[in-house]
Amino acid sequence: MGLFSDLKILYHMAVRPIRGKNHADRLDSFYGGQADSYDSFRKRLLKGRTELWNSIPISEGMSWADIGGGTGANLMNFGDNIKKLKKVYVVDLAGSLLQVADKRIQDAGWDNVQTVHTDATTWIPPEGSVDVVTFSYSLTMIPDWFAAIDQAYKILKPGGRIGVVDFYLSRKFPVEPMKKHGWLTRSFWPVWFACDNVFPSTDHIPYLMHKFEKIDLAEEKGTVPYFPLFWWKMPYYRFVGKKIQD
């Protein structure tokens, strides 16, 4: 993957119109022409995914749902530990990305991994619950993200873990010790991301902390490939929480 592939991605991100009558159509309109080049560019854009996976303990026989898992690139973060998991679900509404995931799963011979083409706000695993739910840069692309978090809570076993990494913005007056972003950061990034129907929120972290017992929270910043203001970085966070016993 080189400059041509990057230009293709940037065209779809910044120029090509996103069309569709519903969210699923809009996702495929956005991702359909870039699915084959998606992972290489996003690896440089989407920070903190490996760190998130490394912060969630894996034990024999666990079940894991990666919501908005797209191409299945996050599966690589498991390493050999993927063999310990009884079941892994890659759940996404973008069929074009799941086609890439299916090929990745087939090539790797993972018979414990399954893709699911469905809405994250309503999906329930066949066994009724899972041990871990992750959202990797997917909450900002789910219009009813709060409903997705509620559904994750619903399908998690008592004591189960939720892990989230995504773009975000601080509230104007965040609760200490959370970080505070300046006016320019809080004003510019929503406009920039909205072109791709990505909506960083000031409320992700507060809602996650309301629903789950916090285990770990990190607030960071990352660069955008080819972005001219290289010193101006995007805020992102990593959150790991525990479902409180019912």
Side-chain angles (χ1 to χ4, degrees), residues 213-241:
E213 178 184 330
K214 185 190 76 171
I215 295 176
D216 184 43
L217 173 63
E219 299 177 84
E220 308 287 352
K221 289 187 177 181
T223 56
V224 181
Y226 302 107
F227 197 76
L229 301 178
F230 60 89
W231 48 268
W232 196 8
K233 299 181 179 181
M234 301 175 302
Y236 72 94
Y237 70 95
R238 296 192 316 274
F239 175 86
V240 178

Side-chain angles (χ1 to χ4, degrees), residues 67-139:
I67 307 297
T71 64
N74 288 326
L75 299 172
M76 308 307 294
N77 292 318
F78 287 116
D80 289 339
N81 281 329
I82 198 168
K83 299 173 184 177
K84 296 181 180 180
L85 299 170
K86 181 178 180 180
K87 193 70 177 182
V88 181
Y89 295 101
V90 180
V91 182
D92 208 293
L93 202 54
S96 55
L97 296 184
L98 290 180
Q99 290 176 13
V100 178
D102 284 329
K103 185 177 186 307
R104 173 176 271 122
I105 293 165
Q106 183 179 13
D107 291 346
W110 293 321
D111 56 8
N112 60 337
V113 183
Q114 176 184 340
T115 62
V116 185
H117 187 198
T118 193
D119 186 342
T121 65
T122 59
W123 178 71
I124 298 176
E127 58 271 47
S129 61
V130 293
D131 296 288
V132 179
V133 173
T134 46
F135 293 88
S136 171
Y137 291 93
S138 53
L139 278 183

Side-chain angles (χ1 to χ4, degrees), residues 35-44 49 71 73 100 104:
D36 57 343
S37 307
Y38 177 89
D39 290 333
S40 175
F41 188 87
R42 291 315 196 278
K43 187 174 182 179
R44 287 170 286 151
R49 294 183 294 179
T71 64
V100 178
R104 173 176 271 122

Side-chain angles (χ1 to χ4, degrees), residues 4-25:
F4 177 77
S5 295
D6 285 351
L7 290 174
K8 181 180 179 181
I9 295 290
L10 290 169
Y11 166 74
H12 282 272
M13 289 180 65
V15 179
R16 189 177 185 273
I18 300 173
R19 297 185 172 92
K21 294 182 179 179
N22 55 52
H23 187 51
D25 290 344

